[in-house]
Amino acid sequence: MIVQRVVLNSRPGKNGHPVAENFRVEEVNLPDCVNEGQVQVRTLYLSVDPYMRCRMNEDTGSDYITPWQLSQVVDGGGVGIIEESKHTNFTKGDFVTSFYWPWQTKVILDGNILEKVDPQLVDGHLSYFLGAIGMPGLTSLIGVQEKGHITAGSNQTMVVSGAAGACGSLAGQIGHLLGCSRVVGICGTPEKCLFLTSELGFDAAINYKEENVAEQLHKLCPAGVDVYFDNVGGDISDTVISQMNQNSHIILCGQISQYNKDVPYPPPLPPAIEAIQKERNITRERFLVLNYKDKFEFGILQLSRWFKEGKLKIKETMVNGLENMGAAFQSMMTGGNIGKQIVCISGDTSL
């Protein structure tokens, strides 16, 4: 059987900006036989995420993610349906997910890398397992719980950068749900600002491309900032940190503004900002959700419950077709998405 897949066509270079042409689609033959312990799956949805930028380099700069290889199939978060199984844990028709799903229309996989998912948790929206009821949701929830130190009723103010993205759009809502009295988002378009305040319940939003972030923060966070969910790093974060309170907390989720630069992770702060951080005893510890696997099961159930109760609003930017994976990745890296960027490979869940 002939199937389509996406391979890494070229590397953008450590300081380069990724483009759709870094990827290419090709056809390959899928073997006819499924061996013991394997399953054949049809891909339904694939995820593109900022961390993948590091995988485009020969050296990811990280000990927990491996680089993609030139002319080899690319992989990441995926959801699909099992068409044939020779693995004891799975049967035909099961919906499954993996963090290492090849960008391929159909694929034969070792069943051990897959996890069964229950469509009822997402009211049938299977792509949510790649977003709010998946790794970005867990990153936001566990990050806020473990590093935010939110105490309900203590009048805390939370600021979220990259607030209209996959994690930011959830983190702000979770901040409110866990007891923050004020949540302010920073993003890059008027449309995103309106989305945050009118749909997600953020108290205010700042458009960093058109407004003076320092002035707006001063106005919108009169009592200072207690919790900062940082998705971007760079100048925006330096500005937020300078307005943070004594003994406040930074949740270091991502540094997308720095991903096209050859710098360590997390990037060091400028000396003046580092001095503020130390002087005010602001915590800024690297946060890696994979270190909290014991909290995943409960976390997914909590996120699902909030979603079903209407307390957690979920937004996706959906693109169709495997041939658009590269374009979707490029768009996500330049802020083209609101909520989670997803690519639909096949909307057909029938067998």
Side-chain angles (χ1 to χ4, degrees), residues 72-85:
Q72 299 293 311
V73 69
V74 174
D75 67 334
V79 169
I81 186 169
I82 292 185
E83 295 187 323
E84 186 183 342
S85 174

Side-chain angles (χ1 to χ4, degrees), residues 63 86 100 135 157 205 219 237 257 269 290 313 324 350:
D63 44 13
K86 287 198 178 165
Y100 305 102
M135 207 53 87
T157 296
K219 191 170 88 181
S237 289
S257 75
L269 296 169
L290 297 175
K313 304 284 194 301
N324 289 314
S350 61

